[in-house]
Amino acid sequence: GGKIRKWRKGAGALGNKSSNKALDDKLNQIGGPQADIGKQLLAQYQSGKINPADQASIDSWEQSAIAQSRGYYAKAGLSDSSMSNTSEQEIHAKAVAMKNQALQNVLTEGLNTLNITDQTQLAVIKQELANSASSQSQLSNFMNSYGQWLRYLPTLTGG
């Protein structure tokens, strides 16, 4: 959003304020909600919190894996062994890695959402510039034709 806004301000000197306001309104309608989602995802990433469903899934996996590990080592008569403790630590480390990956996914999704917003807004700006150039060209053609008509008017009226 920031690069697009800076570009719009620079390009704003080329047009009138009412058309710039209309363009800003259109861009906010197109990109505003999407940019808000991207910003929310970045804030979520910065807070270190993953989606509740992902957290519940990771917690469930961790508890199940620890229960399986304890059952295995209990049957082998090694409940309080270093192997049992190491197994639980490895399971916990995997759960932490899964959470970190989920958190990285939140960051990626947030950045992609903001990038898509910028790309969408850029497409609108390009279209507005093309429309503006087309309108200016049509006005110029009209003025040229009108000027030629004014030059020939005296010959038609005998003046």
Side-chain angles (χ1 to χ4, degrees):
K3 290 182 266 181
I4 297 294
R5 280 188 211 95
K6 287 178 189 171
W7 185 87
R8 284 192 331 231
K9 286 181 182 177
L14 301 176
N16 64 41
K17 289 185 180 185
S18 63
S19 66
N20 289 339
K21 171 79 169 109
L23 179 57
D24 282 346
D25 290 346
K26 184 182 288 188
L27 290 172
N28 286 333
Q29 288 173 356
I30 291 170
Q34 194 170 359
D36 290 344
I37 291 170
K39 289 174 188 173
Q40 287 173 357
L41 289 167
L42 291 181
Q44 180 181 342
Y45 169 79
Q46 290 170 337
S47 75
K49 294 180 182 174
I50 63 174
N51 296 326
D54 290 340
Q55 186 65 59
S57 178
I58 292 168
D59 290 345
S60 175
W61 173 85
E62 183 178 17
Q63 291 167 3
S64 175
I66 287 174
Q68 283 181 327
S69 176
R70 286 179 181 167
Y72 172 81
Y73 285 106
K75 283 182 185 177
L78 301 168
S79 294
D80 290 329
S81 69
S82 62
M83 289 189 309
S84 175
N85 292 336
T86 299
S87 175
E88 286 188 33
Q89 289 171 356
E90 288 174 358
I91 291 168
H92 180 69
K94 286 180 185 177
V96 169
M98 292 166 82
K99 179 184 177 189
N100 288 338
Q101 182 59 51
L103 199 54
Q104 188 65 38
N105 292 345
V106 169
L107 174 62
T108 300
E109 186 178 351
L111 292 174
N112 287 343
T113 301
L114 291 174
N115 185 42
I116 290 168
T117 300
D118 279 354
Q119 294 302 318
T120 303
Q121 289 180 337
L122 183 59
V124 170
I125 288 170
K126 286 180 180 178
Q127 186 60 47
E128 288 293 324
L129 289 174
N131 291 346
S132 177
S134 174
S135 297
Q136 288 176 356
S137 175
Q138 289 173 358
L139 179 60
S140 177
N141 289 341
F142 169 76
M143 294 306 286
N144 285 336
S145 297
Y146 184 67
Q148 288 176 358
W149 183 78
L150 288 177
R151 278 194 295 266
Y152 293 114
L153 184 61
T155 62
L156 296 174
T157 59

